[in-house]
Amino acid sequence: GPRCLAVPPSVMDSIVLQERLVERLLSPRPQAQRSHPARLKDHEKQYVGFATLPNQVHRKSVKKGFDFTLMVAGESGLGKSTLVNSLFLTDLYKDRKLLNAEERINQTVEIVKHTVDIEEKGVKLKLTIVDTPGFGDAVNNTECWKPITDYIDQQFEQYFRDESGLNRKNIQDNRVHCCLYFISPFGHGLRPVDVEFMKALHEKVNIVPLIAKADCLIPSEIRKLKERIREEIDKFGIKVYQFPECDSDEDEEFKQQDRELKESAPFAVIGSNTVVEAKGQRVRGRLYPWGIVEVENQAHCDFVKLRNMLIRTHMHDLKDVTCDVHYENYRAQCIQQMTSKLTQDNRIESPIPILPLPTPDTETEKLIKMKDEEVRPISAQASLVLEQE
């Protein structure tokens, strides 16, 4: 489960000890011990039982399961599908058909969703991958990010409608929690389409930029490219996902990992779905005539750092930022637009009707007439009876 629900061993030990203490205190005692009721009450007061709340939350969360929606964007051929399969050890792209150059000329940016249920140690994760084939492939890429921003807004709108509806028990959360943006390793930093895409999306989704196919660069080139991309992100005012600050009570090892994560961004990644033999061990990697690139070797690339960040340490934070920042901004904007339009006495098409409609529709009017006709003879009879009396 997410890190915030995990209970440290020390806390667990103290909970178990406290529970044993309560059992001992509440179990029948020999006569000799019964002469100290005041002392017993002091012991009982020390442990109320709310220290078990994290366990209750943990159990409930595990039972319910988790969902996570990840978007991958970037021009075709940068290894997006391979990386997603490598991250989650699944084959999400079995039935994919690759288009030739001629077919791609007229291709528009599509949105393709793949949903898979993964289970690990009893924890269920409903993973949705949102792919964007055709992005950046056209001759003219003007506003090629529009279908993607529209999709993100549609998910926010759907959630807003569900949240404002009558039945709010089982709301499906399809909001995009993270967007992995693949940057080509063959240029000198960001291209104009990269800058415009990230600027169009940075207020709507957590963007995590990645340098794709990093095995075509030597370490010094990767360092230079990372530095260049970081400078350009600052220069153009792009808001990429910021790792939260470490809590002061975290251990040194975790703080060190957090520092390394922040220094490594943007992550230089390599994906591979094949297992190769290296130094007598079977590893996931890429076999070249001159050697093997190991995907999970931190000296070769940042794949492990990305996986740790995305799944093991920051998945819950990505969801929190989506909910508390991006969705809240969208919601506030919606409510503001609706109220400002209503004050001008112009009804608008809004996700939720705030005020009752001034004129009832024809169906409602028919029903009212029928009811009136049913009631009229009864009321006439009643008035007759009253007159006779």
Side-chain angles (χ1 to χ4, degrees):
R3 191 162 50 83
C4 66
L5 295 180
V7 181
S10 56
V11 176
M12 281 298 291
D13 292 346
S14 65
I15 291 167
V16 172
L17 281 169
Q18 286 167 340
E19 282 176 345
R20 280 184 192 159
L21 174 68
V22 169
E23 276 171 31
R24 220 165 61 215
L25 289 168
L26 299 178
S27 61
R29 280 151 287 119
Q31 197 66 36
Q33 288 183 355
R34 285 184 190 163
S35 56
H36 304 290
R39 198 183 302 164
L40 170 67
K41 279 176 186 169
D42 287 347
H43 279 303
E44 278 182 323
K45 278 177 193 170
Q46 282 174 12
Y47 180 71
V48 178
F50 55 79
T52 61
L53 271 173
N55 292 11
Q56 294 172 39
V57 174
H58 179 81
R59 270 199 300 274
K60 200 174 174 185
S61 301
V62 168
K63 203 173 174 185
K64 191 179 171 191
F66 301 90
D67 44 34
F68 189 68
T69 302
L70 179 69
M71 179 181 267
V72 286
E75 65 179 87
S76 36
L78 289 180
K80 300 188 292 294
S81 316
T82 308
L83 188 87
V84 166
N85 286 341
S86 308
L87 277 171
F88 297 98
L89 299 177
T90 54
D91 188 5
L92 287 167
Y93 299 89
K94 289 189 283 280
D95 312 316
R96 190 167 66 143
K97 178 181 170 279
L98 292 174
L99 305 177
N100 62 33
E102 204 173 321
E103 289 169 317
R104 288 220 307 263
I105 288 172
N106 302 316
Q107 189 196 13
T108 53
V109 178
E110 289 177 77
I111 302 289
V112 181
K113 266 172 76 174
H114 304 270
T115 303
V116 63
D117 291 302
I118 308 172
E119 191 168 333
E120 185 180 76
K121 293 183 180 177
V123 178
K124 295 185 189 79
L125 175 70
K126 184 185 174 224
L127 174 71
T128 305
I129 303 292
V130 180
D131 204 350
T132 56
F135 172 78
D137 289 351
V139 177
N140 178 4
N141 284 315
T142 311
E143 295 217 325
C144 62
W145 50 84
K146 190 90 173 68
I148 300 167
T149 55
D150 287 350
Y151 176 82
I152 293 168
D153 283 341
Q154 279 162 20
Q155 304 318 305
F156 280 158
E157 186 187 337
Q158 188 57 51
Y159 193 84
F160 186 36
R161 281 170 184 270
D162 293 346
E163 202 183 38
S164 315
L166 288 171
N167 182 15
R168 308 195 305 169
K169 218 167 195 177
N170 302 311
I171 296 177
Q172 274 270 252
D173 185 5
N174 290 317
R175 296 171 295 181
V176 180
H177 300 121
C178 177
C179 172
L180 297 180
Y181 186 68
F182 287 70
I183 297 161
S184 169
F186 309 119
H188 298 285
L190 300 175
R191 297 168 306 153
V193 70
D194 299 331
V195 174
E196 290 306 317
F197 174 88
M198 290 199 267
K199 282 176 90 168
L201 265 82
H202 67 174
E203 299 282 7
K204 300 173 188 289
V205 69
N206 298 309
I207 298 175
V208 176
L210 306 175
I211 297 168
K213 296 200 168 180
D215 47 343
C216 67
L217 299 171
I218 60 170
S220 62
E221 288 171 336
I222 287 176
R223 277 196 300 275
K224 273 183 201 164
L225 186 57
K226 280 186 178 188
E227 196 57 51
R228 183 84 180 259
I229 291 168
R230 280 197 289 261
E231 280 171 14
E232 288 178 341
I233 282 170
D234 284 346
K235 180 182 158 189
F236 294 112
I238 299 164
K239 297 171 194 164
V240 293
Y241 172 64
Q242 295 297 313
F243 299 115
E245 287 306 311
C246 240
D247 293 332
S248 52
D249 60 348
E250 294 285 6
D251 56 15
E252 265 315 306
E253 191 187 347
F254 186 81
K255 284 181 180 172
Q256 179 60 32
Q257 278 179 352
D258 192 63
R259 271 195 298 274
E260 283 174 19
L261 266 185
K262 287 171 182 169
E263 285 162 12
S264 299
F267 301 118
V269 292
I270 304 161
S272 170
N273 298 325
T274 52
V275 176
V276 292
E277 193 90 24
K279 297 171 193 164
Q281 286 183 315
R282 289 175 67 72
V283 292
R284 272 190 311 141
R286 299 174 70 84
L287 181 62
Y288 289 110
W290 53 85
I292 290 169
V293 175
E294 294 172 40
V295 168
E296 294 180 26
N297 184 335
Q298 297 210 43
H300 291 193
C301 71
D302 298 329
F303 174 83
V304 172
K305 287 191 180 109
L306 171 69
R307 187 179 61 192
N308 287 349
M309 183 281 291
L310 201 60
I311 302 163
R312 299 180 189 183
T313 58
H314 290 72
M315 186 182 268
H316 211 271
D317 187 66
L318 285 160
K319 290 179 77 168
D320 284 347
V321 174
T322 301
C323 190
D324 302 341
V325 180
H326 301 304
Y327 174 66
E328 278 305 309
N329 289 344
Y330 172 84
R331 192 172 169 276
Q333 218 175 332
C334 263
I335 292 167
Q336 202 177 355
Q337 279 174 6
M338 282 148 64
T339 48
S340 65
K341 288 272 167 71
L342 285 167
T343 50
Q344 295 162 15
D345 293 326
N346 293 331
R347 281 214 65 83
I348 53 151
E349 291 252 341
S350 62
I352 49 161
I354 292 185
L355 299 172
L357 292 167
T359 52
D361 58 7
T362 49
E363 284 294 314
T364 316
E365 281 178 341
K366 271 185 197 169
L367 276 170
I368 292 167
K369 273 183 186 171
M370 278 167 68
K371 290 286 173 198
D372 280 350
E373 280 161 17
E374 281 173 25
V375 171
R376 204 171 288 134
I378 298 163
S379 58
Q381 280 175 3
S383 59
L384 269 169
V385 171
L386 284 167
E387 279 171 19
Q388 283 167 5
E389 284 175 357

